[in-house]
Structure formats: structure tokens, C-alpha cells
Amino acid sequence: MQWSDIQQNWRAMIPAIQGRWPDVAEEDLIALSGDRDEVIATVAGATGETPAEIGRQMEEWRQGPMPADAYADPTHDEAAARDSERYLPDGEDVYSGDDRFGDDDVADRPMGRRD
């Protein structure tokens, strides 16, 4: 993750920050804007570790994937839809072939009937 992604999705990042550093109070994180230096200072204050050590830990954490809460945020829906296109074979209609999922024409069938 880039720090700009973290800052842009700050509210959705709070559960992940608390999962990694559970001593940090949620209200303290909510009060932040997601600025790297303020996040490091807040986490260091809550954990008693030095800002340099928290900065190192943040860099390790940042190398991981974007937390699901942040990626699932509605602001990412368009990007997620675009990303899903790469899994379709060339020329396939995104709306075709959904019969694999067992929901084709469900609304047209009587309740309980499976053809």
C-alpha cells in the first residue's frame, strides 16, 4: 500500500491499525486525518515505543495488502469492477455464463423449484 492509499481511506484503515496495534484507542485514531507522522506519533504514544520503531513497524505493515475493510469501501467499487475484467476470457460478455452460479432465471421459477 502507498501511504496516500492509507490516508485516502483513513476511516476504513482504523480497524486494521487497531488489529496491529491494539493499545491505540479508536477515538484517538478517528481524530486523525491519516497523516503518516501523526499516526506514528499517536501509535508510539499509546504503545510506549519510540516513533522510530513504530515508523519501522508501519513500513513493514504497509508492505502488506490493503485491508479488506478499505478495499471493500464503496469508493473502490469502480476499481474492483475494472480489476475483475482481467479474469474474463477475451471476447466474453461480462453478463453471460452466470449459469455456473445457479441463479439464472430464479425469479421466473416457482418458489422451491430448481430445474
Side-chain angles (χ1 to χ4, degrees), residues 1-114:
M1 291 178 287
Q2 299 298 316
W3 197 268
S4 60
D5 295 327
I6 295 168
Q7 191 166 14
Q8 180 181 359
N9 299 290
W10 178 243
R11 296 287 282 212
M13 292 290 178
I14 290 174
I17 295 284
Q18 284 191 294
R20 175 63 178 85
W21 294 279
D23 294 335
V24 184
E26 182 177 19
E27 58 271 5
D28 291 342
L29 294 172
I30 289 171
L32 303 177
S33 68
D35 175 75
R36 182 182 182 278
D37 292 336
E38 71 179 1
V39 172
I40 289 172
T42 300
V43 172
T47 63
E49 297 186 53
T50 67
E53 176 58 22
I54 294 300
R56 186 191 64 71
Q57 291 175 21
M58 285 268 176
E59 283 306 303
E60 287 177 7
W61 174 79
R62 193 181 64 78
Q63 297 308 313
M66 182 177 282
D69 289 347
Y71 194 76
D73 189 77
T75 60
H76 294 282
D77 286 350
E78 188 66 32
R82 274 194 315 274
D83 289 347
S84 69
E85 291 176 1
R86 72 176 132 189
Y87 299 105
L88 293 175
D90 288 337
E92 183 174 333
D93 180 359
V94 296
Y95 299 107
S96 69
D98 64 349
D99 57 327
R100 301 183 301 238
F101 302 107
D103 62 353
D104 273 2
D105 303 322
V106 169
D108 297 336
R109 292 188 214 139
M111 283 295 271
R113 183 174 166 210
R114 299 189 61 118

